Amino acid sequence: MNTRILSTAAALLMLSACTQTPANTDLTDSQDGRSRQEILFDDGNYAMFIHFGLYSKLEGEWKGKLYFGNAEWIMNQNQAAIPVEEYMAEAADFNPCDFDAKAIVDLAKAAGMKYIVITSKHHEGFAMFDSDACNFNIHDATPLKRDLMKELADACHEAGLGIGFYYSQWQDWTAPGGGSGPEIPGMTREEAFEKYFREKCIPQVNELTTKYGEIQVIWFDTPGSLSPEFSKELVDLVRKNQPGALVSSRVGNDMGDYETLGDMQVPVVNMPGRWEGIDVVQVGWGFSRFDSEWKSPEYIVRTLVSTVARGGTFMFNIGPDARGRIPEEAQMTLRKSGEWVHRYPQAIYGAQASPWGHALPWGDAVRHGEKIYMVVYDWPSDGRLWVPGIKGQVKSARLLAGASMPKAKALKYRNEGEWIGIAVPVQAPDPIASVIELTLDPDASIDKTLAAAPNCAAELPVALAQADGCSIEDKAWMVKFGEWKFKTVAQGMNAASKVSWDLNVKEPGFYQVDVEYLGKGLVDFRLTDKGGASIVDRKKAGSDYGFQSLGWIRIDSAGTHTLELNVTDADYEALKLASIRISKVNL
Ligand code: JFZ
């Protein structure tokens, strides 16, 4: 598991080294020597991921039983444990005759996506293309007799979208010798894998990189115990056949062109380098007929913007059903969120990481050339948006034309110390997220200290805290099969440990404090405003992460305070501290 969130100290150092590269919104010219594929990745910032395979025929159900989580893993021992022969026999009547490459491309365009990455062979070993290397494929083993990768690649090329292929290079559950697949009698695991690698994996990757025109990426996955020699051989093959294409980090052995974060993960602080965040419209990647937890347009827009704001590219997955149709819910939520992307293209295409280095209390921000686009997820209800940490002059603040507002509008603002108070309409102009364009004086700079405005809760994650006498670590865990969660937590605490945050407070007053943690039994907290007030409380730990109230603390002056959290008594072994949240009490 490679979660790759940076530790606080390292990350804060990187934040100060925010470089300026020219913006490129039409994603065509490459005067800086980058390939077309690199530009689509770096500046396009948004892609469609498609999981489609033989598993899609089963739609999460086997012999009347529902399998929750990753529907593309239904064959696996951890799910329905379907025997190889029986699973392979399913191909005989897999007939996704409604697969419509043009309709998928239209949907991706409507969603605002710049390229598509589709599973050409997932862990089940079934190829979704006409392969000479193995006839367990959509063309040779099903009544459909079509090459769906060719259809989608052609449709993408015609529409000017990039096309990339996911390929499970190590795991292959049906090919003898494949990772976690059948053994070959008389051969060691290593010998059998080498045979699978030479006879199926390499020939198929060769087909994918020679028969389908220009490829955006080969998205290898789950390297397992792949040796560096094998990873290198795959990278060399892609380089030879597709010099401009990218290779995902999951090719293994640190040989990819970019890092893919753990599923559904958005880092807390800006992350340098070329990287991608991935998420999915249902809970699992392959289509499930009974999973109704569709992601809303608001969720998609926020996750996209926050990923771009941390410096990454976002790829969002859909799974066609057994007949190859894109589920109606997926179409609707992608079209609705796509309307937002098309309203504010400058906030996505060519946009770069936030100058604040982390999320802001009311939303997030991206930089695009001279402009900063502030994307407001939680619109203030009192007509004022407080922007923290501005050292210098503002040249202009404009509310961009939104869903209910045909034209951009100049906004009035005033400086109060390092805060800018922008006068905004009381109603959010865009129901999904409104966008304000800020232009700063060239000499102005931004202070990255966390900040608390009087009209908006501020979250203080431990990923942005100083830790004394405990460690700050990234945790990844699975809720149900394939449903990953990530958090950065403080652990290894004792009565003397401290976790502290510097916080720039706009207005003095009473602040409600909530703490988010995981623990066991009773937990005694003390929160201190250094040089000021302190509060204590005893809480009973819940069974999962969640916020609990610590009550009101008095903050007696505007300006930067250090808030220090101690846990004075607890089952320290079980204690994991994630964040505090503070919001001004309106009195
Ligand atoms: C893999 C696959 O097993 C899964 O079916 C799906 O294709 C997904 C996109 O990728 O699952 C992973 C691989 C790596 C991590 C998590 C899930 N990771 O590093 O956190």
Side-chain angles (χ1 to χ4, degrees), residues 386-393 414-421 504 506:
W386 289 106
V387 182
I390 308 287
K391 296 180 147 177
Q393 289 303 307
R414 62 167 193 260
N415 283 64
E416 288 189 18
E418 290 183 3
W419 291 84
I420 309 292
N504 180 12
K506 172 73 184 60

Side-chain angles (χ1 to χ4, degrees), residues 400-416:
L400 296 188
S404 59
M405 217 185 66
K407 280 178 78 179
K409 183 176 155 210
L411 298 172
K412 294 207 162 68
Y413 54 86
R414 62 167 193 260
N415 283 64
E416 288 189 18

Side-chain angles (χ1 to χ4, degrees), residues 8 57 155 183 199 207 244 309 324 406 442 521 569:
T8 319
K57 183 195 165 198
E183 295 187 358
E199 292 177 7
E207 291 176 325
D569 197 12

